[in-house]
Amino acid sequence: MLEVRDLHVVYEDVILVCRGVSLSVPQHGIVALLGANGAGKTTTLRAITGLLDVHRGRITSGRVLIHDREITGADPARIVAAGVSQVMEGRRVFAGFTVEENLRAGAHTRKRAGVAAHLDRVYEMFPLLAQRRTQRAGLLSGGEQQMLAIGRALMAEPRYLLLDEPSLGLAPRVVEQIRDLIVRINEAGTGVLLIEQNAAMALSIATHGYVLEHGRIVLDAPAAELAANSDIQEFYLGLGAEGHVSLRDLKHYKRRKGWAA
Ligand code: ATP
């Protein structure tokens, strides 16, 4: 289990972003983390993977545990070695490197022995990357770059994979491919924490889901229950009586409902 307990995070020592976030990701599950822009989803991921420092953020209290082992605030490389890898928002591949060089870069925390065999396993999962192994990553399409970013994270053989908006800006057909891929990665034994604005996609494959608002978890339930929840439908699935409700309306809606801000 990957666990976050009562996490508080600040940026530049003043901006309190996570205000007591707790969540768990079982290794056999896919967990969705939903929330409007600025809710603190990316910050939660950065806190788990040790990447707050570079953004002038820090954990002020709370804990991050992997299989009961404390990794709170540890060095990013140690966290990867402990079994947690992240795919950042925006498919940050090394554009000037080939596909294979990008994948090999994902294995930098691992011993050399075994990397070639693992590369073969990743190519098996992504035949498209195998076909393009010598091509520069910058020439791939958006969907292919997303696959490469996921493949690179898998090169560290993580027990948990954290994905930040993998469907962002991709065509529906490509989103489906990414979704199927996430399911296969999970079936192969990797727990997934999935941040998505595309709640319909996330909840269609997740076992459990959390909704984050203003740095607090406001809903925590099995994914099927969240998908059936009328508030979630209205805001995150756009199925409400008022038609497609934008996330910007969330504040007004919450006030109307009397939810805490
Ligand atoms: P989005 O869906 O827009 O990516 P999010 O839920 O992932 O949103 P975060 O990126 O975690 O939200 O941001 C949460 C809040 O923290 C926002 O108000 C944002 O402006 C602020 N924030 C993020 N990074 C920094 C930073 N490096 N310094 C100061 N404030 C930051």
Side-chain angles (χ1 to χ4, degrees):
M1 190 85 92
L2 172 66
E3 282 176 275
V4 172
R5 293 191 194 151
D6 199 20
L7 194 72
H8 290 72
V9 173
V10 294
Y11 285 112
E12 295 170 10
D13 280 329
V14 283
I15 312 158
L16 183 57
V17 174
C18 292
R19 303 156 185 255
V21 173
S22 296
L23 56 86
S24 319
V25 184
Q27 201 171 341
H28 58 81
I30 298 176
V31 172
L33 181 58
L34 310 175
N37 288 322
K41 304 180 297 295
T42 299
T43 301
T44 303
L45 289 204
R46 285 177 186 157
I48 297 172
T49 51
L51 293 175
L52 279 172
D53 264 13
V54 286
H55 298 276
R56 302 176 64 182
R58 69 185 174 88
I59 296 173
T60 53
S61 64
R63 305 175 74 193
V64 183
L65 303 159
I66 174 167
H67 297 189
D68 293 326
R69 190 171 143 208
E70 182 103 35
I71 54 166
T72 321
D75 180 63
R78 218 195 103 207
I79 294 172
V80 173
V84 182
S85 287
Q86 176 178 357
V87 178
M88 285 184 284
E89 190 179 330
R91 320 185 255 284
R92 303 211 193 127
V93 297
F94 301 118
F97 284 13
T98 65
V99 165
E100 182 140 331
E101 285 164 348
N102 267 276
L103 291 175
R104 286 187 180 278
H108 70 279
T109 56
R110 294 168 45 96
K111 295 205 176 71
R112 259 177 166 228
V115 170
H118 195 57
L119 192 58
D120 286 344
R121 280 205 290 279
V122 169
Y123 279 143
E124 220 169 275
M125 193 171 253
F126 303 79
L128 202 138
L129 296 182
Q131 285 162 23
R132 315 235 162 139
R133 64 207 314 163
T134 58
Q135 194 170 337
R136 275 200 295 131
L139 299 175
L140 300 176
S141 71
E144 290 162 355
Q145 289 191 20
Q146 185 61 268
M147 286 179 199
L148 178 56
I150 295 173
R152 189 177 61 190
L154 290 178
M155 284 301 292
E157 289 198 79
R159 291 189 276 186
Y160 297 92
L161 182 66
L162 316 185
L163 298 166
D164 197 348
E165 305 264 9
S167 77
L168 197 70
L170 300 179
R173 186 182 50 82
V174 184
V175 172
E176 264 179 37
Q177 288 172 359
I178 298 283
R179 186 182 67 177
D180 294 347
L181 191 61
I182 295 169
V183 171
R184 272 192 285 136
I185 290 168
N186 180 245
E187 284 171 354
T190 303
V192 176
L193 179 60
L194 175 60
I195 287 190
E196 264 300 337
Q197 292 268 342
N198 185 341
M201 183 277 240
L203 293 177
S204 71
I205 56 171
T207 38
H208 199 90
Y210 296 89
V211 177
L212 191 61
E213 282 179 11
H214 302 291
R216 291 194 177 92
I217 300 287
V218 293
L219 287 169
D220 164 0
E225 211 172 286
L226 287 183
N229 176 309
S230 58
D231 296 333
I232 296 289
Q233 287 187 358
E234 194 165 344
F235 277 107
Y236 296 93
L237 303 175
L239 303 173
E242 297 161 49
H244 191 96
V245 181
S246 99
L247 294 178
R248 274 197 298 278
D249 296 332
L250 186 59
K251 254 195 190 143
H252 306 289
Y253 180 82
K254 280 178 60 183
R255 226 174 270 140
R256 231 170 57 217
K257 288 258 175 181
W259 289 6

